[in-house]
Amino acid sequence: MSGLRELYQEVILDHSKAPRNYGKLEAPTGASHGHNPLCGDTVAIYLRIKDGVVEDIRFDGRGCAISMASASMMTEILKGRSVADVKEMFERFHGLVTTGHEACEGGFETADLDKLVVLAGVREFPMRVKCATLAWHTMKAALAGEADEVSTE
Amino acid sequence: MTGASTAARRNVPAFDVEAVRREFPILSTTAHGKKLVFLDSGASAQKSRAVIEAISSVYESRYANIHRGVYQLSQFATEAYEAARVKVQRFIGAGSPSEIVFTKGATEAINLVAATYGVKFLKAGDEIIVSALEHHANIVPWQLLRERNGIVLKVVPVDDTGAFQLDAYERLLSPRTRIVAVTQASNALGIKPPIAAVTRLAHAAGAIVLIDGAQGVVHEPVDVRAMDCDFYVFSGHKLYGPGGIGVLYGKTKLLEAMPPYQGGGDMILSVSFEATEFAPPPARFEAGTPPIADAIGLGAAIDFLNGLDRAAVLAHEEALLAHATAALSAIKGVRLYGTAPDKAAIVSFTLAGVHPHDIGTILDHEGIAVRVGHHCAQPIMDRFGIPGTVRASFGLYNTLDEVDALARGLAKVREIFG
């Protein structure tokens, strides 16, 4: 039960029930669709990059609490960040939910990472790691200007 | 409702589920430290000790390749393999063992029919009818045939209860209808189409009928001759048998007219580089060395089922279904899908505000194994406008207490999600 409570913390439930930055973005500079064919979760990420900074980021889609909360939290954390920071954050987040370790040291405020640490609980649920990473992979594709759908498989 | 009272009402002997459970070793294991509550038999059923021991026994004392060796061991294996075919024949009421083709499973059996009968006898514009309830295994092989032959695929709709629309089906039948391929029981919802009427109407229209019995054969006695279907397919692993073995039943005249599925050893009469003469059915469709021990294991699974009172088993499963339907309906926010009356022991549902995958994870921590998602039947999920459901599919070894455990598990989900 402790693992479950860690997975379904209040903050995750809150984000999944009331996702932040939900909806489409007018005139995005990058957008991508992600899909997990195993569970049917879909997410679309819309980005507007200006002068190397994420000016705005929104998402829509449907999926489980983990995937929706992860997408919601990601948009909150990435807004206003430099593209270089976003790429590094991707690596750190990926490390966090797969190995429990941040993949590299970066120049973030500890508070930023703390917000994402709540998702580290998925480590104990191998079948659910992709739920947490779907939005991030899709964001990375949107950043790279890849229009093709991102698949977890 | 209890199993005993149902049995009494139907005048069949009570079914001793605890005695049956003792025959399935895995049911006494745990998951996350909790007693295992296995409610995913529709995906793949657990195996009885008799089946496990039959397979071990083949490898320990009777294993060799079949149909080849002149030595004693090969004869033993051949006899056991062919005896399994006879067991299958009797189990589904086929007229002859030669009408029983061993395949990898129901999926391969349908692919076999599409790739042999379909490719040889169907032309562009010919029509195949399936229902909205089908598993992907009874959709995609026909789509592959459509790409190859230009056939037209038509779909019988269901109503809001999941019931097969017989009147719509009648309207879809046409002089161009060649094959009607319908499930005996939907894997996603449990709904049972009216197979007798489906078959009668198809034959009246000049079409042949394939019944996907993957779920149906598990829950009720099957008589393919009484059904009068032309093809019937099922998988061993859902019938409490081993994986990797399944069955295609086909009427002799159809099987004899069909070209081979794969080429290789064991499916020929003679081979030269100029010409090859194919063996008659069923060998024509069993190229290569088959899963010998698994076929024998399927025979053991059939023996196990035959050793039970199947009417009592069915009554027990109906009691599980009735109890689950009542218990889940009583939970706030639960919506059941597939509420039409004629059903196999499967309940498919959603819980308001909670994604099926989150429910699956929480139930798993209670030791309860359910399937979540689209159940390889996306079209029926789309019909109801949902990405997926939670599905509890019952086997003969499940208990009313396990249904209650599922209901308690859902209360836990509510507790977490508020």
Side-chain angles (χ1 to χ4, degrees):
Chain A
M1 196 64 195
S2 63
L4 262 192
R5 283 291 180 198
E6 196 186 331
L7 183 65
Y8 293 108
Q9 292 179 54
E10 276 308 317
V11 61
I12 289 177
L13 296 176
D14 176 56
H15 273 271
S16 74
K17 287 172 188 166
R20 326 296 199 258
N21 303 306
Y22 191 89
K24 289 184 167 50
L25 193 61
E26 289 298 313
T29 56
S32 196
H33 286 265
H35 180 221
N36 183 344
L38 287 185
C39 62
D41 285 3
T42 60
V43 68
I45 304 289
Y46 311 95
L47 276 171
R48 189 158 63 236
I49 309 289
K50 194 177 177 188
D51 301 330
V53 170
V54 179
E55 189 182 67
D56 205 354
I57 176 168
R58 297 180 74 78
F59 83 101
D60 62 16
R62 64 182 189 180
C64 65
I66 307 303
S67 69
M68 290 296 103
S70 179
S72 171
M73 294 166 77
M74 179 186 79
T75 58
E76 272 201 326
I77 280 169
L78 297 187
K79 203 183 279 193
R81 274 185 199 284
S82 73
V83 169
D85 272 5
V86 167
K87 287 177 177 168
E88 195 175 332
M89 202 109 194
F90 172 90
E91 298 300 331
R92 292 181 65 168
F93 177 75
H94 202 264
L96 186 70
V97 296
T98 53
T99 66
H101 301 292
E102 300 157 44
C104 56
E105 295 301 317
F108 303 112
E109 303 285 332
T110 311
D112 289 330
L113 205 63
D114 282 353
K115 285 180 188 165
L116 294 178
V117 164
V118 297
L119 282 162
V122 297
R123 282 198 320 274
E124 285 183 42
F125 302 83
M127 298 299 290
R128 306 300 303 277
V129 169
K130 285 172 180 170
C131 306
T133 57
L134 177 63
W136 285 80
H137 282 289
T138 309
M139 178 278 296
K140 201 180 176 194
L143 200 61
E146 294 163 9
D148 289 347
E149 185 172 86
V150 177
S151 174
T152 57
E153 298 309 307
Chain B
M1 188 188 294
T2 67
S5 67
T6 306
R9 206 176 58 234
R10 288 168 177 272
N11 201 25
V12 292
F15 173 68
D16 187 352
V17 67
E18 290 305 327
V20 166
R21 289 179 68 81
R22 286 193 289 275
E23 297 300 319
F24 289 80
I26 209 167
L27 297 181
S28 56
T29 63
T30 58
H32 297 288
K34 307 272 175 64
K35 183 172 169 290
L36 174 68
V37 175
F38 188 75
L39 303 180
D40 197 22
S41 296
S44 198
Q46 299 299 348
K47 320 306 173 196
S48 66
R49 191 173 280 110
V51 168
I52 298 165
E53 287 175 357
I55 295 166
S56 299
S57 154
V58 171
Y59 288 127
E60 284 175 8
S61 59
R62 283 186 299 159
Y63 185 76
N65 211 332
I66 54 165
H67 300 155
R68 290 178 179 80
V70 296
Y71 50 91
Q72 191 181 48
L73 206 52
S74 175
Q75 286 167 27
F76 284 168
T78 303
E79 281 164 16
Y81 180 76
E82 292 304 326
R85 195 190 307 278
V86 172
K87 287 175 187 180
V88 172
Q89 176 219 338
R90 291 181 180 154
F91 186 66
I92 63 170
S96 156
S98 64
E99 292 181 318
I100 304 300
V101 178
F102 282 125
T103 64
K104 280 192 294 186
T107 296
E108 188 181 48
I110 298 173
N111 276 280
L112 190 161
V113 173
T116 59
Y117 186 93
V119 168
K120 182 170 179 184
F121 295 109
L122 271 67
K123 299 184 292 291
D126 283 347
E127 295 165 3
I128 295 176
I129 296 178
V130 299
S131 84
L133 294 163
E134 303 311 314
H135 186 283
H136 294 167
N138 199 22
I139 299 171
V140 182
W142 308 119
Q143 290 175 326
L144 293 174
L145 181 62
R146 179 170 66 187
E147 283 176 23
R148 181 166 175 163
N149 276 16
I151 59 99
V152 176
L153 192 58
K154 293 177 161 183
V155 183
V156 182
V158 297
D159 69 11
D160 289 344
T161 69
F164 180 96
Q165 297 297 279
L166 198 59
D167 52 346
Y169 167 64
E170 281 196 75
R171 287 194 297 275
L172 287 178
L173 283 165
S174 86
R176 296 301 303 265
T177 309
R178 294 284 176 268
I179 301 176
V180 174
V182 171
T183 186
Q184 189 180 8
S186 151
N187 74 304
L189 306 183
I191 297 292
K192 295 196 286 187
I195 292 304
V198 166
T199 304
R200 182 169 36 80
L201 290 164
H203 286 163
I208 61 156
V209 175
L210 180 147
I211 302 296
D212 174 1
Q215 300 291 334
V217 73
V218 180
H219 299 287
E220 58 190 307
V222 168
D223 184 332
V224 290
R225 278 183 292 180
M227 270 184 194
D228 197 28
C229 57
D230 300 281
F231 295 108
Y232 186 88
V233 307
F234 67 94
S235 296
H237 71 97
K238 292 190 204 294
L239 193 68
Y240 312 101
I245 188 79
V247 169
L248 166 67
Y249 156 81
K251 284 180 177 170
T252 297
K253 65 176 168 46
L254 294 177
L255 292 178
E256 283 180 345
M258 282 154 54
Y261 177 48
Q262 294 177 326
D266 230 15
M267 52 75 74
I268 46 81
L269 289 177
S270 70
V271 174
S272 72
F273 282 109
E274 289 70 40
T276 290
E277 199 181 346
F278 301 124
R284 184 184 302 167
F285 305 105
E286 294 182 4
T289 297
I292 298 161
D294 299 313
I296 295 166
L298 174 58
I302 288 172
D303 288 343
F304 179 83
L305 284 169
N306 285 338
L308 302 172
D309 178 338
R310 292 206 77 198
V313 170
L314 184 58
H316 173 69
E317 291 182 358
E318 284 176 350
L320 291 169
L321 177 63
H323 186 50
T325 303
L328 294 175
S329 301
I331 297 171
K332 192 165 171 280
V334 164
R335 177 168 172 196
L336 293 167
Y337 291 88
T339 51
D342 208 7
K343 281 187 68 170
I346 289 170
V347 285
S348 210
F349 62 94
T350 55
L351 183 60
V354 192
H355 191 278
H357 274 246
D358 296 314
I359 297 171
T361 293
I362 295 167
L363 291 178
D364 173 47
H365 265 242
E366 297 299 310
I368 303 167
V370 292
R371 175 101 184 253
V372 296
H374 54 59
H375 319 297
C376 294
Q378 279 179 333
I380 195 67
M381 297 292 117
D382 292 342
R383 162 62 180 79
F384 288 103
I386 49 175
T389 66
V390 181
R391 180 189 71 177
S393 53
F394 301 104
L396 52 83
Y397 37 58
N398 287 123
T399 66
L400 295 168
D401 285 348
E402 290 180 313
V403 173
D404 293 334
L406 172 64
R408 282 195 303 276
L410 292 171
K412 185 82 79 179
V413 174
R414 266 281 156 255
E415 194 183 303
I416 289 172
F417 271 78

